[in-house]
Amino acid sequence: MTIIQADDLSIEYALNHRWVNVIHDVSLKIAPLQIHGLVGESGSGKSTLALAMMGYIAENARISRGSLTFNNKNLYQLPSQRLRDIWGRDIHLVPQDTLSALNPSYQIGEQMAEITRHHQKVSRHSAWEHAITQLERVKIPDAREVARKYPHQLSGGMRQRVAIAMALSTQPQLLILDEPTTSLDVTTQAVILDEFRHLILDNKSAALYVSHDLGTVAQFCDVVTVLYGGEVMESASVAELYAHPTHPYTAGLLMSLPRQLEGSDTRIPTIDGIAPSLIERPKGCVFAPRCPLAIAQCYAEKPPLEPMNESHHIRCWRWHDILSGDAEAKPKPIAHNTPAPPRTSHVLKVVAMKKYFGRRGVWDMLTRKPYRPTRALDGVSIDIQERSTFGIVGESGSGKSTLARCIMGLETPDSGEIELCAVNISTRLKNRPKEALRRLRMVFQNPDESLNPYKTVGQAINRNLLLLGELKTRAEREERIHQLLKAVRLTPEYATRYPSQLSGGEKQRVAIARAFAAEPSLIVADEPTSSLDVSVQAVILNLLKDLRAERGVSYLLISHNLDVVAYLADWIAVMYLGQIVEEGRVDAVYKAPSHPYTEALVSANPSTDPNTQKSAIRLDGDVPSPRDIPTGCRFHTRCPRKIGAICETHEPPWQDAGDGHFISCHITVDELTRLQGGEM
């Protein structure tokens, strides 16, 4: 029995007066209680296929071949009214871009209640109360207050939870999950995925899970299909595919994940080249131009999708050679050719930095209302060594980005000191000398927002050179631009291109080149790889490691991806509600976390081994508001190891765990080690 099934499905788009194939002969089926993962790089056709499986394709698209059936009914033969009844009730989509999916003119509760009333004959009050219940189900604090807000008043992560709550409200038979947890922290992600599992089990429904997070797919899905260029490259059960990835593309994706065990002297294996243009599709295997095992036949003939066994299918001419051992699909870790120079001094010190948002208004003073500012940073101190990477992790609202902005001078802290290369600098950007501006640069999360679409790559880099005034002549600056492009592995021809002509990974490389234009001592990187595919992410991480070794730069790396931080960083600090609760060497903190909060973060980080079922710690509730910080230990409201009233009334001490490893907790380090080892 299947809930939904695609048979030889092909979809074409009308582009420039011609039909372009974007999905080619895709077959898959999803049974009740099954979660089917769909992975692949951007442009592989994942989202197009996901939307098609709920009976929706763009106006300039058509089904050129094949069929799609839902409960044994062809979706594309149903009348529009019947489709509208199915959407939201039987099939529900949780999109990645929630801001465009939610109506900005309606309150959250109204939108949720409307869905309930459309599919069920209930009163307005009952529909509203049902909406509140669903918001509470996805761990939204103050659900009634949130229900009265508009989408723009919520954070990205909060809007994502609203979209998930809307999906859960109608108990659909099929969930289409298009990157539903991209903007969520690992702790929240674990809770949300649990809710999806419960829904699927309770309703005997199913899900199509689209994601580039291979760790989450390994832990959440039962079956996985790998797409590339709109074609199925490989499909199998999650356990078999992750244990025995046979197609070179699948193996390349899995080996592109950062792994701490590789250490500082190795680089992540990468997939050479970029994804193909759908307009100029290769004649033979679509992956052949990037495949390390390609032979003449791969370029001349398109391989069929063949069964390796009953449940494992592959599209590759050389899969027999790979199985027999005559060819190796898995790329191997690459030795790092330029080891990092020894660290000799400190490049940045931040001492007791505080940043509060909000001011006491006249009405508050007249009514003697107590002043409750948002305490984004509350006495944070960090010390970054030369030629090293200092990583900062923590949930949304912990103060990570505020710290970065204060260091860069984009926000002015209320108190605290900043020392850059042994020189005290002003916390105000306008008061900083040019030398400080040169030594301290930033790489932002989204290169699309940081690059001017009307300026070429060369003009973007040249502007930094002009502002800093190091190179006087145009010829000197052009030579410098070409050197920088070469450093980030781009040819000089890229200087004439506009951002719209670049891939996501190329844009981020340009942003990195621009940051390096001034020969900085420290680069603040705020989620530099969060919007990238794992294959592109690997390229950027290798590049950052190479540039650190070659140019002696240091990084302040902010990320919610623990694996990225573990791979690139030497030192790590864990933040919670504006304070650091644990810090130390990466191998000590990541592999053996001491603080209960760090323990929860690491346990919630999904493993790429589906056979490894970690006992993930589920934290109750959400991060408290920085305007209403709990007394005592700030983590006591969610802490699974709370020991009593002392946690609620007294600030925890700062404990030395040895070798530069510190934690802030009332429980002793030895006792925490015993508890985490399973002794109760």
Side-chain angles (χ1 to χ4, degrees):
M1 179 183 176
T2 61
I3 289 181
I4 195 164
Q5 180 168 337
D7 294 303
D8 297 325
L9 187 67
S10 294
I11 300 174
E12 295 177 334
Y13 277 93
L15 297 173
N16 299 325
H17 307 290
R18 60 179 290 191
W19 289 100
V20 178
N21 187 264
V22 294
I23 298 293
H24 184 73
D25 291 345
V26 171
S27 296
L28 63 86
K29 58 183 180 180
I30 307 176
L33 301 176
Q34 188 180 77
I35 304 173
H36 197 115
L38 198 60
V39 302
E41 295 170 293
S42 296
S44 61
K46 302 189 301 296
S47 294
T48 297
L49 179 59
L51 290 173
M53 294 193 71
M54 60 180 298
Y56 176 82
I57 57 175
E59 292 184 356
N60 65 327
R62 68 180 184 184
I63 305 292
S64 60
R65 181 181 174 183
S67 63
L68 184 69
T69 56
F70 176 74
N71 288 336
N72 298 318
K73 297 178 181 177
N74 193 321
L75 277 178
Y76 290 93
Q77 293 180 353
L78 296 176
S80 57
Q81 181 58 50
R82 179 70 179 115
L83 272 177
R84 283 194 291 270
D85 291 337
I86 290 175
W87 291 339
R89 184 190 65 192
D90 300 325
I91 304 177
H92 203 115
L93 170 70
V94 180
Q96 180 178 357
D97 185 7
T98 53
L99 194 58
S100 60
L102 297 172
N103 193 322
S105 304
Y106 288 87
Q107 294 176 335
I108 296 298
E110 289 180 285
Q111 298 186 56
M112 295 185 64
E114 183 182 18
I115 295 174
T116 304
R117 295 185 69 200
H118 179 79
H119 296 291
Q120 304 175 27
K121 292 183 178 180
V122 297
S123 67
R124 185 181 296 273
H125 175 74
S126 297
W128 182 271
E129 290 300 315
H130 182 67
I132 303 298
T133 301
Q134 299 308 309
L135 290 174
E136 292 173 343
R137 189 176 176 184
V138 295
K139 310 299 180 183
I140 289 180
D142 301 323
R144 291 189 179 277
E145 182 180 345
V146 171
R148 293 183 175 86
K149 291 185 176 181
Y150 293 88
H152 72 275
Q153 295 175 300
L154 305 181
S155 66
M158 195 70 76
R159 288 196 297 270
Q160 194 67 48
R161 287 191 234 183
V162 168
I164 293 168
M166 294 172 75
L168 298 175
S169 65
T170 58
Q171 300 182 335
Q173 295 182 53
L174 177 66
L175 283 167
I176 306 292
L177 309 174
D178 190 2
E179 301 277 10
T181 61
T182 298
S183 58
L184 302 180
D185 305 303
V186 289
T187 50
T188 305
Q189 174 181 269
V191 172
I192 296 302
L193 293 181
D194 285 346
E195 288 292 338
F196 282 136
R197 286 194 189 93
H198 294 155
L199 173 68
I200 292 166
L201 290 173
D202 294 344
N203 298 339
K204 294 182 174 56
S205 53
L208 178 68
Y209 185 74
V210 180
S211 180
H212 67 267
D213 187 340
L214 300 181
T216 301
V217 170
Q219 296 297 319
F220 182 60
C221 299
D222 306 302
V223 180
V224 61
T225 293
V226 182
L227 280 187
Y228 182 82
E231 300 179 17
V232 176
M233 296 290 103
E234 193 168 5
S235 182
S237 70
V238 166
E240 184 171 355
L241 187 99
Y242 278 70
H244 307 288
T246 306
H247 197 285
Y249 179 61
T250 307
L253 284 180
L254 291 173
M255 290 301 295
S256 294
L257 297 171
R259 305 179 192 275
Q260 171 61 10
L261 57 88
E262 294 172 350
S264 60
D265 59 343
T266 58
R267 302 167 76 248
I268 306 171
T270 58
I271 303 174
D272 294 332
I274 60 174
S277 168
L278 297 176
I279 298 177
E280 300 177 358
R281 184 181 293 271
K283 180 181 178 182
C285 174
V286 70
F287 184 61
R290 303 175 69 190
C291 183
L293 303 181
I295 56 178
Q297 185 183 17
C298 302
Y299 293 97
E301 301 177 53
K302 183 177 292 294
L305 186 65
E306 298 181 89
M308 293 173 55
N309 55 48
E310 187 178 345
S311 60
H312 196 159
H313 294 74
I314 189 170
R315 189 186 301 273
C316 181
W317 287 120
R318 302 201 64 189
W319 70 268
H320 294 283
D321 296 336
I322 295 170
L323 280 187
S324 65
D326 294 334
E328 179 59 59
K330 287 186 179 181
K332 300 193 182 295
I334 308 164
H336 195 264
N337 297 322
T338 314
R343 304 171 199 113
T344 57
S345 60
H346 301 271
V347 66
L348 180 77
K349 288 185 179 181
V350 176
V351 181
M353 182 168 286
K354 293 185 178 182
K355 177 61 181 176
Y356 296 173
F357 292 98
R359 62 176 65 179
R360 194 175 186 187
V362 176
W363 179 252
D364 294 335
M365 290 186 286
L366 292 173
T367 57
R368 298 183 179 180
K369 187 177 179 180
Y371 176 47
R372 295 171 58 197
T374 299
R375 296 155 67 180
L377 296 176
D378 212 358
V380 173
S381 299
I382 62 173
D383 191 339
I384 304 177
Q385 291 184 329
E386 190 179 24
R387 297 178 173 91
S388 70
T389 300
F390 190 105
I392 298 181
V393 299
E395 295 170 296
S396 297
S398 61
K400 306 186 302 295
S401 293
T402 301
L403 175 62
R405 292 178 63 82
C406 286
I407 291 172
M408 294 302 302
L410 302 176
E411 296 282 356
T412 302
D414 296 296
S415 63
E417 298 179 358
I418 301 176
E419 182 183 295
L420 180 65
C421 299
V423 177
N424 283 317
I425 63 172
S426 174
T427 56
R428 295 181 178 273
L429 182 63
K430 65 180 182 180
N431 295 335
R432 292 181 180 179
K434 184 180 291 186
E435 180 65 13
L437 299 178
R438 183 186 71 79
R439 287 180 174 273
L440 190 58
R441 310 303 292 171
M442 189 167 186
V443 176
F444 294 91
Q445 176 178 354
N446 190 348
D448 283 319
E449 295 179 357
S450 62
L451 295 175
N452 191 327
Y454 303 105
K455 300 290 185 181
T456 65
V457 168
Q459 289 172 330
I461 299 174
N462 186 59
R463 186 171 184 272
N464 269 19
L465 296 175
L466 286 171
L467 289 173
L468 297 167
E470 296 293 321
L471 303 174
K472 303 299 182 183
T473 69
R474 182 175 180 179
E476 287 177 326
R477 293 194 298 273
E478 287 182 354
E479 177 63 24
R480 178 68 175 148
I481 290 169
H482 292 167
Q483 290 174 357
L484 288 166
L485 291 174
K486 185 179 179 180
V488 297
R489 315 303 186 255
L490 296 175
T491 61
E493 288 76 19
Y494 276 81
T496 61
R497 299 186 185 183
Y498 290 88
S500 61
Q501 298 173 299
L502 308 178
S503 67
E506 289 170 340
K507 291 175 187 175
Q508 196 63 297
R509 287 193 233 182
V510 170
I512 293 170
R514 184 177 61 180
F516 273 90
E519 296 287 348
S521 301
L522 176 71
I523 287 180
V524 178
D526 189 2
E527 300 279 8
T529 63
S530 66
S531 60
L532 305 177
D533 301 311
V534 291
S535 57
V536 181
Q537 173 183 268
V539 173
I540 298 301
L541 291 178
N542 285 340
L543 176 63
L544 290 172
K545 181 174 282 191
D546 290 343
L547 291 173
R548 183 181 68 180
E550 296 167 4
R551 297 174 179 267
V553 71
S554 297
Y555 300 121
L556 174 61
L557 176 64
I558 296 171
S559 180
H560 67 269
N561 189 325
L562 299 183
D563 291 334
V564 167
V565 175
Y567 175 77
L568 194 59
D570 309 287
W571 200 268
I572 187 172
V574 183
M575 291 190 67
Y576 186 80
L577 275 182
Q579 290 186 340
I580 293 174
V581 298
E582 184 169 6
E583 69 170 281
R585 298 186 182 279
V586 166
D587 55 354
V589 176
Y590 188 74
K591 293 182 178 179
S594 297
H595 195 281
Y597 177 59
T598 312
E599 183 189 10
L601 285 179
V602 173
S603 75
N605 192 40
S607 169
T608 54
D609 184 359
N611 297 316
T612 303
Q613 298 294 328
K614 300 191 299 183
S615 55
I617 299 171
R618 300 293 188 257
L619 296 179
D620 294 330
D622 204 350
V623 181
S625 171
R627 293 187 63 187
D628 191 19
I629 292 180
T631 58
C633 174
R634 303 182 177 206
F635 186 56
H636 84 261
T637 59
R638 305 169 70 201
C639 184
R641 302 196 185 279
K642 179 180 172 183
I643 59 176
I646 189 174
C647 297
E648 301 176 4
T649 57
H650 292 75
E651 288 266 355
W654 195 241
Q655 300 184 61
D656 188 350
D659 195 25
H661 187 179
F662 294 88
I663 66 167
S664 176
C665 188
H666 287 293
I667 308 174
T668 65
V669 175
D670 291 341
E671 181 67 10
L672 282 170
T673 303
R674 186 184 70 82
L675 290 172
Q676 294 165 7
E679 302 177 35
M680 301 302 293

